[in-house]
Amino acid sequence: MVAGLRALGAVIDDCDPKCWKITGITHFPDEAVIDCGLAGTVMRFLPGVASLSAGMTTFFGDEAASHRPMEPLVSGLRQLGAQVSGISLPIQVSGPLTGSVAVIDSSSSSQFISALLLVGPRLANGLTITHTGTATVPSQPHIDMTLAGLADRGVSVFQRGSIWEVLPGPIAARDEVIEPDLTTAAVFLGAALVCGGQVSIAAWPTQSTQPGWRILGILEQMGAVVELTDSGVTVTGQGEIRGIDIDLRETSELTPVVAAVAALASTESHLRGISHIRGHETDRLAALSAEISGLGGECRQTEDGLVIIPRPLSPGVFHTYADHRMAHAGALIGLRVNGICLDDVGCTSKTMPDFPETWEAMAA
């Protein structure tokens, strides 16, 4: 993301790893090339920024990125006046944006709505976005985060059902303290329940718009004791893991962690509302079903989720599919089943470069 923003003309001083200074784009380049890797936020958020310029920006990514849904975003940008060369990576994007109305089907990802919201204040007449899909937009809390971020910077934003409106105007500079990444932290809290131990994470907020915050209630339902204070959170496992019947549509990034814990539970689990994660870094429903079942468990796909019936698990290779969340799932199972080998733990560097070392230190 940093490299992509720099390619578009932003100045980012990250010499101090704990305090970055960002100066907004004052001049777009005539041409730019951005490597998205497998990051959905890069491949979906930055094309909108790039389309504010008349210059040409080329986006490409990992091979798997070309299979991730992009068409709703491309459609929205085209409706606003952008020129976009295709409907999936690699694509070329150029502006400027002259329209003010976009009608898209965002059933497969909330990121399409957020991506358009972020450029709305820069449009001469603002922006009205309408979601037309038969299914509701997944991960509404992520859209709430976007709306809150814009509002905190002086932007007027409104939501009425499946319609969002952004008024034109300046985006104020702000000093910001970034919360911990609660979704990535979830795997460490899950470890407490899996092992019947205790894990504490400092600076965990008492309230947050991050969907990952909801892992606390989920782990409580599955048998953990959660203590949340102003200084952080402590999760304690009690020995038994209970199965769960839950709709994860708004918190779908937690699915691999919840599925891994469910595979070690005493009763069966039903994870619902997550059909859209078939289009994440990998088809996570198919991947979780294959890997848990491959170790001797029973994990079946349904139309919109998974049914997990705990069975004794055996040692084996847990394939990660270049997906950091799948690696988290395998790491959790490996705490209880000796001989689990992740084929590529390096994919966790996407969100936590020191995950292997931190995980090992926790386990030790």
Side-chain angles (χ1 to χ4, degrees):
M1 179 65 84
V2 169
L5 289 169
R6 284 174 172 158
L8 292 174
V11 177
I12 300 176
D13 179 357
D14 57 355
C15 294
D16 181 347
K18 293 186 177 182
C19 184
W20 291 8
K21 182 178 180 180
I22 298 97
T23 303
I25 300 168
T26 57
H27 177 72
F28 284 95
D30 293 332
E31 294 185 11
V33 177
I34 294 176
D35 180 357
C36 303
L38 197 53
T41 45
V42 178
M43 63 191 289
R44 291 169 177 162
F45 288 4
L46 292 193
V49 179
S51 65
L52 295 172
S53 164
M56 178 70 71
T57 304
T58 299
F59 292 87
F60 70 98
D62 295 355
E63 181 180 354
S66 64
H67 302 295
R68 299 193 69 179
M70 286 278 286
E71 189 169 1
L73 173 62
V74 169
S75 173
L77 292 177
R78 286 174 176 165
Q79 292 173 54
L80 295 173
Q83 302 296 312
V84 187
S85 64
I87 59 172
S88 61
L89 293 185
I91 60 173
Q92 290 184 315
V93 179
S94 63
L97 299 182
T98 56
S100 61
V101 176
V103 179
I104 64 171
D105 181 351
S106 198
S107 302
S108 58
S109 177
S110 66
Q111 289 178 343
F112 304 130
I113 300 294
S114 289
L116 296 175
L117 287 171
L118 289 172
V119 299
R122 292 293 190 223
L123 305 185
N125 297 307
L127 175 62
T128 300
I129 309 166
T130 301
H131 164 63
T132 60
T134 55
T136 58
V137 178
S139 302
Q140 175 66 38
H142 280 122
I143 296 178
D144 294 340
M145 289 174 64
T146 307
L147 296 173
L150 289 168
D152 287 346
R153 288 155 183 80
V155 177
S156 296
V157 289
F158 310 94
Q159 179 177 357
R160 301 184 305 280
S162 296
I163 300 175
W164 294 263
E165 184 178 2
V166 186
L167 299 186
I171 302 172
R174 290 282 187 267
D175 290 338
E176 184 83 14
V177 177
I178 305 298
E179 292 178 350
D181 175 357
L182 306 186
T183 301
T184 295
V187 65
F188 293 92
L189 297 181
L193 182 55
V194 165
C195 292
Q198 188 175 87
V199 171
S200 298
I201 296 180
W204 187 285
T206 54
Q207 289 291 335
S208 175
T209 56
Q210 288 191 63
W213 192 88
R214 301 186 186 190
I215 190 63
L216 303 184
I218 294 171
L219 293 177
E220 278 188 319
Q221 290 182 61
M222 300 186 81
V225 173
V226 175
E227 182 183 4
L228 180 62
T229 68
D230 291 340
S231 59
V233 68
T234 297
V235 171
T236 305
Q238 300 295 295
E240 180 187 3
I241 302 173
R242 298 190 293 266
I244 193 170
D245 190 330
I246 189 169
D247 189 320
L248 292 173
R249 184 173 185 82
E250 293 195 339
T251 55
S252 59
E253 287 282 348
L254 296 174
T255 300
V257 164
V258 176
V261 175
L264 302 169
S266 59
T267 57
E268 72 178 70
S269 295
H270 294 254
L271 312 185
R272 310 178 190 274
I274 47 177
S275 60
H276 60 283
I277 72 171
R278 292 187 169 98
H280 279 198
E281 283 85 336
T282 188
D283 180 339
R284 286 180 176 165
L285 296 186
L288 287 166
S289 177
E291 298 312 307
I292 293 173
S293 298
L295 298 176
E298 184 174 344
C299 182
R300 302 194 309 268
Q301 292 189 66
T302 64
E303 182 178 348
D304 75 334
L306 296 169
V307 174
I308 301 171
I309 301 176
R311 308 285 188 209
L313 301 181
S314 303
V317 175
F318 193 97
H319 300 91
T320 62
Y321 305 81
D323 185 340
H324 55 153
R325 306 295 183 205
M326 286 297 298
H328 293 170
L332 275 174
I333 292 174
L335 291 176
R336 281 277 291 273
V337 182
N338 288 330
I340 299 298
C341 176
L342 305 189
D343 70 336
D344 175 24
V345 72
C347 64
T348 57
S349 64
K350 175 179 175 181
T351 43
M352 189 174 180
D354 60 348
F355 175 82
E357 295 81 8
T358 306
W359 190 257
E360 186 175 5
M362 177 196 67

